[in-house]
Amino acid sequence: MYRIDQHKNIYLSRGDDFSYTFPVYVDNSETAYKFEKNDGCMLFFYIFIPNSINYEFVMKKTFETDGSVTTEFNNDKSSTTKVLNNIDDKGNITVTLTEEDTMKIFPGQYKYQIRVKVKDSSGNLVLKTVTNRKDFYVIEDDYSNRIW
């Protein structure tokens, strides 16, 4: 089970699946960036230990527009899977964490951040930070008695 509050902080039970579509706004645009299948763009979802520097991540997931999803952990080999389609009908990429992903993250408070590699007006791929670091809580709890 998970919850995302009004500040986009994420609360997640360890061992649960997570799936959420984050609209991507680049360079103060008022409209969300539209990803297209096989356009070479990517979305990166990072989970950090609070106050970490130099992008030292606990987990990093890379979602490519060709359906490739790469999962990396700081002390483990990366793995790549292929999904049929990770772009919705509005051109957004859905971030997914599997049960196996969340079991590898110890309960505690972390930060998450989203970055993208998108095409600029010249068609070149450029790296952009989409969100500031937001809170990400992994909880060893079944939420049965929790009041949100």
Side-chain angles (χ1 to χ4, degrees), residues 24 26-27 33 35 39-44 114-130:
V24 171
V26 178
D27 296 331
Y33 186 87
F35 292 93
D39 66 1
C41 297
M42 298 175 218
L43 183 142
F44 305 97
I114 297 173
R115 301 177 89 197
V116 292
K117 200 173 264 191
V118 294
K119 291 184 178 178
D120 65 10
S121 58
S122 303
N124 299 314
L125 289 174
V126 293
L127 185 63
K128 301 281 186 174
T129 299
V130 176

Side-chain angles (χ1 to χ4, degrees), residues 3-9 11 134:
R3 177 177 74 92
I4 300 176
D5 69 18
Q6 71 272 18
H7 304 292
K8 299 289 185 203
N9 298 315
Y11 302 80
K134 303 282 188 182

Side-chain angles (χ1 to χ4, degrees), residues 43-101:
L43 183 142
F44 305 97
F45 183 84
Y46 295 90
I47 298 176
F48 300 100
I49 294 174
N51 302 318
S52 67
I53 56 174
N54 299 325
Y55 288 92
E56 297 168 8
F57 56 85
V58 172
M59 186 185 79
K60 173 184 172 187
K61 291 212 60 155
T62 304
F63 300 88
E64 298 183 47
T65 56
D66 69 355
S68 297
V69 179
T70 303
T71 305
E72 299 173 66
F73 289 91
N74 60 353
N75 295 324
D76 201 1
K77 294 181 190 175
S78 64
S79 65
T80 302
T81 58
K82 200 81 156 173
V83 296
L84 186 58
N85 187 11
N86 57 1
I87 303 172
D88 70 12
D89 58 348
K90 295 179 183 173
N92 298 307
I93 291 180
T94 300
V95 171
T96 55
L97 305 180
T98 65
E99 171 187 350
E100 293 80 15
D101 294 337

